[in-house]
């Protein structure tokens, strides 16, 4: 778990340590060379895409240069992000186009999660699959 992660997830049955990660919020020793795992709330995802777009894009490109795939584990659904756009006076269609462009251009993988518990399980599943490669 990255030391800057403000709301760390719990991984039942798995020992965790905190240390600075060059990219992402979570990693295993085996998966760190292959993937970047970012946890994002709806608001944080919106902010990363809109206000922090250039910084977020640089982070994704840095990971790609190292041969890593970036996985965004979203605390909610993309539909929630699009609905959040209404509150920010932004057309959801605009956000949808930005997200789809980033997914295709940067091979960005978005994993939607209903709960933090589900997110923890999906992260463990992904890391387990990566360790088999």
């Amino acid at each position: 778990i990255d030391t800057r992660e403000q709301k760390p997830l719990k991984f039942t049955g798995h020992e965790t340590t905190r240390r600075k990660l060059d990219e992402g919020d979570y990693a295993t020793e085996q998966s760190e060379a292959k993937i970047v795992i970012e946890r994002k709330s709806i608001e944080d995802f919106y902010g990363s895409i809109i206000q922090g777009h250039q910084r977020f894009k640089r982070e994704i490109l840095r990971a790609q240069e190292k041969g890593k795939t970036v996985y965004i584990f979203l605390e909610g659904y993309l539909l929630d992000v699009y609905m959040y756009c209404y509150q920010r006076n932004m057309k959801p269609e605009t956000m949808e186009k930005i997200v789809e462009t980033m997914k295709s251009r940067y091979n960005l993988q978005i994993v939607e999660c209903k709960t933090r518990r589900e997110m923890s399980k999906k992260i463990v599943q992904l890391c387990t699959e990566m360790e088999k490669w």
Side-chain angles (χ1 to χ4, degrees), residues 42-43 45-47 49-50 78-99:
I42 299 301
E43 297 83 4
F45 184 75
Y46 175 89
I49 299 292
I50 302 306
L78 283 171
L79 183 58
D80 298 324
V81 174
Y82 304 144
M83 295 303 292
Y84 184 76
C85 290
Y86 278 118
Q87 298 172 12
R88 300 289 179 209
N89 296 321
M90 178 184 185
K91 290 182 180 179
E93 298 83 16
T94 303
M95 174 62 92
E96 186 175 14
K97 286 178 185 174
I98 294 169
V99 169

Side-chain angles (χ1 to χ4, degrees), residues 49 53 56 60 98-106 108:
I49 299 292
H53 185 80
F56 189 53
I60 292 168
I98 294 169
V99 169
E100 290 305 314
T101 299
M102 290 185 78
K103 286 170 58 177
S104 64
R105 186 174 291 164
Y106 306 116
L108 185 66

Side-chain angles (χ1 to χ4, degrees), residues 37-85:
I37 298 171
E38 279 280 337
R39 179 197 59 81
K40 297 280 185 200
S41 66
I42 299 301
E43 297 83 4
D44 190 22
F45 184 75
Y46 175 89
S48 294
I49 299 292
I50 302 306
Q51 288 99 8
H53 185 80
Q54 291 304 317
R55 183 196 60 75
F56 189 53
K57 183 175 140 182
R58 283 192 304 272
E59 183 178 349
I60 292 168
L61 290 173
R62 247 191 342 267
Q64 279 189 326
E65 287 171 3
K66 295 177 182 180
K68 298 179 182 184
T69 300
V70 177
Y71 286 83
I72 303 295
F73 281 79
L74 186 61
E75 289 184 27
Y77 300 97
L78 283 171
L79 183 58
D80 298 324
V81 174
Y82 304 144
M83 295 303 292
Y84 184 76
C85 290

